[in-house]
């Protein structure tokens, strides 16, 4: 064995220790930067609807309230801003709970085709009013059972379909399922909307990221948190959501879920004793 003189050994230990501490410090710095940025983002996003509502209410108090037509118009706008604020706070809470790992997951077996049908029913009116078509890529006569948190997957599906609707002016929104031999199903939501520029594709899952702020604004301004929530929900399922898109042509968002196994479906009674 090679002899290492004691001084050299101590030197080496000090070096290893210092390198470890250095890494910890870098890590803490990153967390701190993230916190600071998050706080700045949140304050900025909260300000927008508060500022708007404030403006309408103060204008009313300054005299606009006497004109009955203006009164209704301004009250409606103030209410709309407060609704956005409510949605934003709700999404922020959801996101922070998931990020902190505080949301309990409730895994169960359910039919994803049935769930997608419910989502279609929920959106049909809204989508068709815009002159869009919404449906499946083929007929699904059989259930596809998956093992996941059904409430959260419902949220994922509604977020994706709602975005498809928001960012599509003509054409259709098509849902599909691809069952793979590995015991998974890939669920996809495809639209013929405005698509996402290639340079932004990697960023749409970041909180508050919007492709050209102005573009999303005129479109019933979402909270900019929808896809961040979707991403976290899929991570909590040890899965992920992905997107392919052609700018100007449309986008497809998809995510993968594990299929229920035959024996799990047969023994649903036993589950209650777990
Ligand atoms: P928002 O509340 O703004 O819709 P999201 O987190 O759901 O926030 O989405 C982030 C951004 O990604 C959107 O602002 C939009 O620019 C883009 N985006 C999301 N879904 C689509 C889609 N189906 N087609 C085109 N762009 C999309």
């Amino acid at each position: 064995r090679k002899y290492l003189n004691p001084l050299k050994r101590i030197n080496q230990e000090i070096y290893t220790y210092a390198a470890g501490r250095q890494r910890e410090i870098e890590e803490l710095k990153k967390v701190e930067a993230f916190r600071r940025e998050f706080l700045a983002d949140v304050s900025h996003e909260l300000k927008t609807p508060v500022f708007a509502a404030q403006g309408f209410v103060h204008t009313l108090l300054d005299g606009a309230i006497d004109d009955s037509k203006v009164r209704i118009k301004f009250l409606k706008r103030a209410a709309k801003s407060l609704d956005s604020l409510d949605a934003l706070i709700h999404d922020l809470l959801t996101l922070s709970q998931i990020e902190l790992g505080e949301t309990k997951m409730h895994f169960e077996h359910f039919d994803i085709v049935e769930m997608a049908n419910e989502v279609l029913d929920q959106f049909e009116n809204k989508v068709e009013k815009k002159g869009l078509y919404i449906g499946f890529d083929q007929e699904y006569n059989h259930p596809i059972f998956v093992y996941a948190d059904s409430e959260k997957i419902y949220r994922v599906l509604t977020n994706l379909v709602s975005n498809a609707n928001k960012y599509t002016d003509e054409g259709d929104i098509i849902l599909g399922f691809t069952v793979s031999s590995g015991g998974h199903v890939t669920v996809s939501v495809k639209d013929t909307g405005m698509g996402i520029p290639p340079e932004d594709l990697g960023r749409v899952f970041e909180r508050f990221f919007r492709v050209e702020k102005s573009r999303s604004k005129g479109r019933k301004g979402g909270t900019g948190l929808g896809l961040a929530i979707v991403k976290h929900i899929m991570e909590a399922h040890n899965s992920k959501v992905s997107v392919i898109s052609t700018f100007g042509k449309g986008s497809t968002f998809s995510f993968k879920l594990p299929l229920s196994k035959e024996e799990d479906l047969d023994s649903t009674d036993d589950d209650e004793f777990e």
Side-chain angles (χ1 to χ4, degrees):
R1 207 184 284 167
K2 220 169 137 192
Y3 171 76
L4 200 61
N5 88 43
L7 210 58
K8 251 190 184 166
R9 208 190 62 224
I10 289 170
N11 254 345
Q12 213 169 48
E13 269 170 25
I14 290 175
Y15 178 78
T16 316
Y17 175 78
R21 293 310 299 255
Q22 186 61 33
R23 260 198 306 277
E24 269 171 41
I25 290 169
E26 294 300 325
E27 209 43 51
L28 280 174
K29 270 190 190 160
K30 251 192 247 163
V31 172
E32 182 52 28
F34 175 84
R35 271 167 43 98
R36 219 177 303 145
E37 200 186 311
F38 185 67
L39 206 62
D41 281 353
V42 170
S43 321
H44 175 81
E45 295 289 330
L46 287 174
K47 251 194 203 156
T48 312
V50 169
F51 194 67
Q54 219 174 15
F56 294 124
V57 171
H58 282 295
T59 314
L60 281 168
L61 289 176
D62 286 346
I65 199 156
D66 298 329
D67 181 334
S68 66
K69 260 197 202 143
V70 174
R71 183 165 66 221
I72 294 293
K73 196 163 93 184
F74 277 29
L75 278 176
K76 276 188 179 159
R77 289 190 185 166
K80 206 170 155 195
S81 298
L82 291 174
D83 287 346
S84 318
L85 186 64
D86 184 54
L88 180 58
I89 291 172
H90 186 263
D91 277 359
L92 270 173
L93 284 175
T94 308
L95 190 64
S96 75
Q97 276 166 353
I98 305 181
E99 276 186 344
L100 291 172
E102 279 173 4
T103 1
K104 269 224 159 102
M105 299 294 285
H106 299 285
F107 283 87
E108 58 183 325
H109 300 282
F110 63 91
D111 176 11
I112 187 83
V113 177
E114 189 189 326
M115 180 181 281
N117 259 310
E118 276 171 38
V119 175
L120 287 194
D121 287 344
Q122 190 192 325
F123 279 91
E124 208 165 31
N125 265 336
K126 208 174 177 186
V127 170
E128 286 177 358
K129 242 190 222 157
K130 275 178 74 179
L132 301 175
Y133 167 81
I134 184 163
F136 290 114
D137 62 344
Q138 64 176 77
E139 239 180 86
Y140 293 96
N141 295 318
H142 299 288
I144 301 176
F145 280 99
V146 294
Y147 187 61
D149 184 318
S150 67
E151 231 174 74
K152 297 201 174 61
I153 296 302
Y154 192 83
R155 172 98 205 234
V156 167
L157 267 179
T158 48
N159 272 3
L160 295 182
V161 172
S162 158
N163 276 351
N165 180 44
K166 245 193 294 184
Y167 302 109
T168 304
D169 290 328
E170 53 186 45
D172 37 44
I173 301 170
I174 303 292
L175 274 69
F177 308 100
T178 314
V179 173
S180 68
S181 52
H184 285 87
V185 58
T186 301
V187 184
S188 60
V189 179
K190 183 170 187 272
D191 67 56
T192 52
M194 52 188 51
I196 298 161
E199 67 271 20
D200 290 337
L201 260 187
R203 303 198 57 197
V204 290
F205 298 102
E206 288 174 20
R207 63 186 148 76
F208 299 128
F209 180 84
R210 298 182 180 105
V211 175
E212 295 170 39
K213 293 224 164 190
S214 56
R215 188 185 93 171
S216 309
K217 235 185 211 159
R219 300 180 170 263
K220 298 212 194 74
T223 61
L225 294 174
L227 286 179
I229 291 173
V230 165
K231 179 181 154 213
H232 277 94
I233 290 179
M234 293 323 297
E235 280 172 358
H237 281 86
N238 283 325
S239 184
K240 58 182 183 186
V241 51
S242 51
V243 55
I244 46 174
S245 184
T246 311
F247 192 39
K249 289 240 166 87
S251 319
T252 305
F253 284 82
S254 50
F255 60 92
K256 211 159 126 177
L257 289 175
L259 292 169
S260 304
K261 296 192 188 81
E262 290 279 337
E263 60 264 32
D264 292 330
L265 295 177
D266 292 340
S267 63
T268 38
D269 291 346
D270 300 343
D271 283 347
E272 297 188 1
F273 296 106
E274 271 177 13

